[in-house]
Amino acid sequence: MAGLSESQVERYSRQLILPEVGGKGQEKLLRGRVLVVGAGGLGSPAAYYLAAAGVGTIGLVDSDSVDLSNLQRQILHASEDVGRPKTESAAEKLRALNPDVTVNTYQTRLGVENVREIIKDYDIVVDAVDNFAARYLLNDACVMEGKPMVEAGVLRFDGLLMTILPGEGPCYRCAFPDPPPPGAVPSCQEAGVIGVAPGVMGVLQANEVIKLLLGVGRPLAGRILTFNALNCEFQEIEWKKNPDCPVCGDHPTIRELSEYHLACEVRGD
Amino acid sequence: MKLTVNGKTEEIDQVMTVLEYIRFKGIDPRTVVVQKNGEVIKRDHWEKEVVRENDRLEILRMVGGGSF
């Protein structure tokens, strides 16, 4: 296998034998550049599986530090990491898992002023944020940059997943045109979350990214997947691109990024 | 009257609008989006849009957490 070292052939052997991956696919993964926004409940499993699969460059954005209450679900962080920046703790685990991976860290809050600049350098964005303001900002920025984004959200025992391919399928606003009024939808901090919910959804985000990088399978675009852990139910809902969407529709009214300031969402979960 | 809501069949015993149905289910209308028979029903139409026999509703809840 041309570009792979002996140890890489061994490390990735179980996926190299898959016809959908093979040596060529593995090289695509190694060349892949993926930005994971949020190194928490969703970002932990997403980034961990991407690193394990040999996605060559992973960017991690997070401004928070590890809190003891994070460890119930944010599996990249350990007890001894409490108090450390999440990007630092997460990067260390990813590098230890797979030295093939270059991890770029951004210990910052995504905002209007930096979001387009940061996502520009990546092929795919994983939305693993914990609040609606960041979710809408990232959606709008990805639509404007034409960047594929794999979106997920969780609350209590529920999860939601959609893959956004700007120009081809619906964006987040096609389904949810505006954020809910502040306080209407509680955060995980207020309402709780079972650890496996972001676990399941984060792994599914990694799956979507790997498929996109390889160019195999059918992306979850034009469809929304919901998961309920209590009943162990998945449901798929077809969702069309909205021609009247304010950001990706035929006559967009949002042409510049702006940020929602939602009072109850200042702090993360 | 038979309906399919989020893939499951259910019976309701009176005619309702989309908004009435959402309230009847105890859901905060500000936290969901709705499709009826494959078409998105805009929020400002919920008050007028009547749910009929054999309609297929999808009620999608917003979940914003990623648990940082």
Side-chain angles (χ1 to χ4, degrees):
Chain A
M1 263 164 237
L4 301 181
S5 70
E6 214 171 295
S7 77
Q8 286 177 323
V9 170
E10 190 176 345
R11 175 183 290 268
Y12 305 118
S13 59
R14 299 302 189 274
Q15 63 195 45
L16 286 171
I17 57 172
L18 298 171
E20 290 81 358
V21 184
K24 286 229 167 69
Q26 190 60 52
E27 284 169 21
K28 286 184 193 167
L29 294 178
L30 287 163
R31 278 196 307 270
R33 302 177 58 86
V34 178
L35 184 72
V36 179
V37 185
L42 290 164
S44 284
Y48 209 39
Y49 273 94
L50 292 174
V55 170
T57 305
I58 297 176
L60 291 173
V61 185
D62 205 311
S63 62
D64 260 356
S65 296
V66 180
D67 187 86
L68 187 58
S69 68
N70 297 151
L71 304 184
Q72 158 258 15
R73 64 196 181 284
Q74 304 188 10
I75 59 163
L76 277 183
H77 314 299
S79 303
E80 70 227 31
D81 297 316
V82 170
R84 291 177 76 195
K86 285 189 183 175
T87 48
E88 192 185 288
S89 158
E92 188 181 280
K93 312 302 188 309
L94 299 181
R95 289 177 187 130
L97 171 65
N98 189 348
D100 288 345
V101 181
T102 302
V103 184
N104 303 326
T105 58
Y106 306 85
Q107 203 201 324
T108 181
R109 213 188 134 269
L110 270 197
V112 173
E113 67 294 346
N114 61 6
V115 60
R116 289 181 79 161
E117 199 53 39
I118 294 176
I119 66 176
K120 225 179 244 174
D121 286 339
Y122 292 87
D123 302 322
I124 302 172
V125 173
V126 173
D127 180 357
V129 303
D130 65 340
N131 66 83
F132 285 110
R135 208 169 282 284
Y136 280 86
L137 177 71
L138 206 48
N139 175 73
D140 296 353
C142 284
V143 168
M144 289 173 189
E145 291 290 330
K147 222 37 106 179
M149 174 167 109
V150 182
E151 156 68 34
V154 292
L155 187 64
R156 302 191 181 99
F157 290 87
D158 291 308
L160 180 145
L161 182 76
M162 70 187 286
T163 295
I164 296 162
L165 304 176
E168 293 177 44
C171 78
Y172 192 68
R173 281 189 195 269
C174 291
F176 306 105
D178 298 298
V185 176
S187 69
C188 293
Q189 190 175 20
E190 293 156 346
V193 62
I194 195 77
V196 295
V200 168
M201 303 320 285
V203 170
L204 289 174
Q205 284 181 297
N207 179 51
E208 287 296 294
V209 169
I210 289 167
K211 281 159 48 190
L212 287 174
L213 288 174
L214 291 173
V216 302
R218 180 176 163 235
L220 189 74
R223 302 180 281 156
I224 295 173
L225 186 75
T226 63
F227 171 61
N228 177 269
L230 269 187
N231 301 322
C232 202
E233 280 176 345
F234 284 94
Q235 201 208 346
E236 187 188 306
I237 304 171
E238 282 194 31
W239 212 278
K240 296 187 196 108
K241 198 168 177 299
N242 175 9
D244 300 325
C245 174
V247 67
C248 81
D250 299 338
H251 305 286
T253 51
I254 300 172
R255 293 165 174 281
E256 268 178 42
L257 289 177
S258 66
E259 221 173 317
Y260 292 103
H261 293 284
L262 304 169
C264 297
E265 294 186 348
V266 178
R267 282 286 307 156
D269 313 347
Chain B
M1 186 167 81
K2 207 191 278 177
L3 292 178
T4 307
V5 182
N6 292 355
K8 287 192 183 125
T9 311
E10 60 175 80
E11 288 276 347
I12 56 172
D13 53 13
Q14 53 178 312
V15 176
M16 293 184 199
T17 64
V18 169
L19 185 61
E20 284 165 343
Y21 177 81
I22 288 168
R23 292 218 168 108
F24 167 71
K25 297 305 269 187
I27 299 167
D28 180 345
R30 301 172 302 169
T31 64
V32 291
V33 292
V34 177
Q35 270 192 11
K36 198 180 92 167
N37 303 327
E39 297 298 327
V40 174
I41 309 294
K42 286 186 185 160
R43 197 172 293 275
D44 46 5
H45 294 174
W46 290 359
E47 235 170 322
K48 285 175 280 174
E49 189 76 29
V50 176
V51 180
R52 294 177 203 284
E53 175 90 30
N54 293 326
D55 271 349
R56 207 161 34 83
L57 285 185
E58 307 288 353
I59 298 175
L60 192 56
R61 276 176 200 268
M62 299 191 80
V63 286
S67 68
F68 260 28

